[in-house]
Amino acid sequence: ETGVTQTPRHLVMGMTNKKSLKCEQHLGHNAMYWYKQSAKKPLELMFVYSLEERVENNSVPSRFSPECPNSSHLFLHLHTLQPEDSALYLCASGQGISSYNEQFFGPGTRLTVL
Amino acid sequence: GESVGLHLPTLSVQEGDNSIINCAYSNSASDYFIWYKQESGKGPQFIIDIRSNMDKRQGQRVTVLLNKTVKHLSLQIAATQPGDSAVYFCAENQSGFFDMRFGAGTRLTVKP
């Protein structure tokens, strides 16, 4: 257990569905991240929140919408996804740029878009 | 663009042998490096890190070597065990920046 939990662990959705991924960290960190992991590709950073404010958005399509209501919770809202969005979505937390940026990962949500 | 990459996508070793996984990086401003291990169905797990003011760091059965001259990072696993079978990622970060860039990963398979 890394102190970062994600739900659901698996999600299958149609292209017209709306769903949300949830991440919670119990480590007292002040930064949270969403990554996308596709087969045979490096981890791709999607969003970064520091102190509940979005500080980075790596040209992610608007069909992905993040939300960070507090420093312990992070959501990724999904709507009108495409089959190529099927991947493992990983959440991570860390202390942010105030220190060397070790990040702790959750187990991920395996998303399949039909 | 600058990237973090791994030399080999797969590595197969016998149980008990030592394993060496290599990584090249190209951002000379990176000053913090991490090795992660990812087992099937799990998220990446921190193994060991090293800062750019060091060239070697040892943990339990693992050693990370950093060669800043050639921008090369390696992970050495001593007496490799079946439980070490996983995908290993190197990652680099420049202090003051949030994003951590990851290599594609090397799959380590340990044969009994």
Side-chain angles (χ1 to χ4, degrees), chain B residues 16-78:
Chain B
D17 287 352
N18 296 334
S19 302
I20 300 176
I21 301 172
N22 296 303
C23 178
Y25 67 95
S26 57
N27 182 6
S28 57
S30 292
D31 55 5
Y32 183 53
F33 305 87
I34 298 180
W35 280 101
Y36 285 94
K37 171 186 180 183
Q38 187 173 22
E39 297 175 275
S40 181
K42 297 183 179 179
Q45 176 187 0
F46 172 91
I47 301 175
I48 191 168
D49 61 358
I50 189 167
R51 300 179 184 181
S52 58
N53 60 353
M54 304 170 69
D55 53 22
K56 179 179 181 179
R57 189 158 189 239
Q58 289 185 288
Q60 188 178 16
R61 282 200 307 118
V62 294
T63 300
V64 55
L65 299 177
L66 175 63
N67 185 331
K68 294 180 289 294
T69 302
V70 295
K71 299 190 188 67
H72 184 267
L73 193 68
S74 68
L75 176 70
Q76 300 178 359
I77 305 175

Side-chain angles (χ1 to χ4, degrees), chain A:
Chain A
E1 289 294 330
T2 63
V4 181
T5 59
Q6 290 185 244
T7 56
R9 294 294 308 277
H10 300 272
L11 178 62
V12 179
M13 59 188 291
M15 289 190 285
T16 58
N17 291 157
K18 288 185 179 181
K19 297 288 184 183
S20 295
L21 310 184
K22 179 182 177 181
C23 176
E24 184 173 358
Q25 60 100 357
H26 311 274
L27 301 169
H29 290 158
N30 56 31
M32 296 187 77
Y33 308 76
W34 278 117
Y35 286 90
K36 177 183 179 182
Q37 187 175 38
S38 305
K40 299 181 181 179
K41 292 176 67 175
L43 281 164
E44 300 172 66
L45 179 65
M46 299 175 72
F47 300 104
V48 182
Y49 276 83
S50 175
L51 299 173
E52 300 146 45
E53 291 192 12
R54 190 189 307 181
V55 295
E56 195 157 330
N57 173 0
N58 275 9
S59 303
V60 179
S62 60
R63 57 185 183 269
F64 295 91
S65 175
E67 178 190 0
C68 188
N70 56 62
S71 60
S72 298
H73 294 86
L74 185 66
F75 295 89
L76 188 63
H77 304 299
L78 316 171
H79 64 99
T80 59
L81 294 193
Q82 304 299 311
E84 59 265 29
D85 296 322
S86 298
L88 181 69
Y89 288 84
L90 290 160
C91 173
S93 71
Q95 293 289 19
I97 62 172
S98 61
S99 64
Y100 288 96
N101 193 13
E102 179 184 347
Q103 295 177 24
F104 294 82
F105 286 84
T109 295
R110 174 67 63 186
L111 174 67
T112 302
V113 182
L114 302 176

